[in-house]
Amino acid sequence: DGGITQSPKYLFRKEGQNVTLSCEQNLNHDAMYWYRQDPGQGLRLIYYSQIVNDFQKGDIAEGYSVSREKKESFPLTVTSAQKNPTAFYLCASSISQAVNTEAFFGQGTRLTVV
Amino acid sequence: AQKVTQAQTEISVVEKEDVTLDCVYETRDTTYYLFWYKQPPSGELVFLIRRNSFDEQNEISGRYSWNFQKSTSSFNFTITASQVVDSAVYFCALSEGTSGTYKYIFGTGTRLKVLA
C-alpha cells in the first residue's frame, strides 16, 4: 500500500543526545514536510523540502536538521541544541509544492526526553 | 499574515447530536485553499476535504458537511448525528501560494468527544 511510514513510533532521548526520526514515502511525492505538535498549539512547520537535495527552514527550525538525499526519504535529526524536544512529530508529503493538493501524513513519532 | 483560528478547544456531545466545528482564517491572497483533517487517537492526520477560494458551494459527504463563507472568512464543519467513532481532534488548515510555493498553516485543532 502507498503511504508514509514513520519510525520509531516512540523514542526516548537522554539530554544532550542527538536522535534521528525516520520518514519514508512510496507515493512518489516531490514535497515532504516535518511538523511538531504540542498540546494546544496545533502543528508547527519545522522543515520542508520541495525536491531532492533541497530543503528550507520552516517556522521553528532551530535545534533541528534534515537531509533529502532520496526522493522517498526525509529524516529529521533533533539535536542537543533543541531546548524542549519532547513532542509529537509528524511527517507529511504532497505531490508538489507547486500544485495545491492535500498533504498525506504518517502516524507520527512521540519523542520524550528523559 | 496568514492565520487559522479554531476557537473551540474541546467540544463534548452525546451520540446522535449534531455538532459544528468553527474555523476562521486570515489571508491576503485571493487564491488559497482550505482543508479539514481528522486526527484519531492513532495520531495520523486523515484528509477530509479541500476547498478552493473560488468555490463557495457548500459540500456534503454523508454525515459531514462544510460551509465556506468568504464574507466572514469561515470554513465550518458540521457532523450530523455524531457517532463515538467521530471522537478525534479536527484541524482546519490554509494553503496559499507565495512565489509558487504552497505551505500549509494549521489551526490549533478542536478535540471532539462523542459520548455514548
Side-chain angles (χ1 to χ4, degrees):
Chain A
D1 283 3
I4 300 178
T5 302
Q6 289 186 243
S7 62
K9 191 170 183 180
Y10 299 97
L11 186 57
F12 296 90
R13 189 195 93 169
K14 291 182 180 179
E15 288 203 24
Q17 281 184 339
N18 293 355
V19 290
T20 297
L21 283 58
S22 170
C23 177
E24 303 275 332
Q25 55 101 354
N26 61 4
L27 299 167
N28 200 33
H29 285 174
D30 283 327
M32 296 188 75
Y33 314 80
W34 274 105
Y35 289 91
R36 170 177 171 145
Q37 184 178 9
D38 294 283
Q41 293 197 47
L43 277 66
R44 293 182 290 168
L45 182 63
I46 305 173
Y47 267 98
Y48 62 100
S49 168
Q50 299 183 61
I51 200 167
V52 176
N53 293 323
D54 181 63
F55 49 82
Q56 285 81 41
K57 293 181 179 180
D59 301 319
I60 56 164
E62 185 176 350
Y64 300 97
S65 66
V66 293
S67 63
R68 187 87 187 276
E69 297 175 3
K70 297 187 295 184
K71 186 175 186 177
E72 59 270 23
S73 179
F74 191 40
L76 173 73
T77 297
V78 185
T79 74
S80 56
Q82 170 47 238
K83 297 191 188 321
N84 184 21
T86 295
F88 188 58
Y89 291 87
L90 283 159
C91 179
S93 72
S94 65
I95 292 174
S96 165
Q97 275 198 295
V99 177
N100 204 321
T101 65
E102 62 272 21
F104 294 83
F105 285 81
Q107 290 204 321
T109 294
R110 188 165 299 280
L111 172 63
T112 303
V113 173
V114 297
Chain B
Q2 320 91 310
K3 187 179 177 182
V4 175
T5 301
Q6 294 180 256
Q8 303 151 309
T9 304
E10 185 168 314
I11 301 174
S12 292
V13 298
V14 177
E15 207 170 19
K16 297 185 184 176
E17 282 186 6
D18 298 348
V19 58
T20 295
L21 310 182
D22 298 333
C23 173
V24 174
Y25 63 92
E26 294 176 30
T27 177
R28 284 174 290 191
D29 277 12
T30 54
T31 302
Y32 54 89
Y33 287 76
L34 297 163
F35 304 82
W36 275 96
Y37 284 87
K38 174 182 180 179
Q39 185 180 39
S42 60
E44 177 181 354
L45 268 72
V46 177
F47 166 76
L48 296 177
I49 190 172
R50 177 184 65 176
R51 175 63 50 151
N52 76 55
S53 53
F54 299 106
D55 183 0
E56 286 193 73
Q57 282 193 335
N58 290 335
E59 175 137 353
I60 298 174
S61 176
R63 296 184 297 107
Y64 295 170
S65 63
W66 291 268
N67 184 342
F68 176 30
Q69 292 195 337
K70 287 178 76 171
S71 61
T72 55
S73 296
S74 65
F75 186 43
N76 296 337
F77 173 30
T78 298
I79 301 175
T80 303
S82 59
Q83 299 177 2
V84 172
V85 294
D86 295 327
S87 297
V89 180
Y90 290 86
F91 288 97
C92 181
L94 165 72
S95 173
E96 56 177 37
T98 304
S99 303
T101 300
Y102 291 94
K103 289 192 290 182
Y104 306 94
I105 298 124
F106 286 84
T108 52
T110 296
R111 181 177 299 276
L112 174 64
K113 293 185 178 179
V114 181
L115 309 172

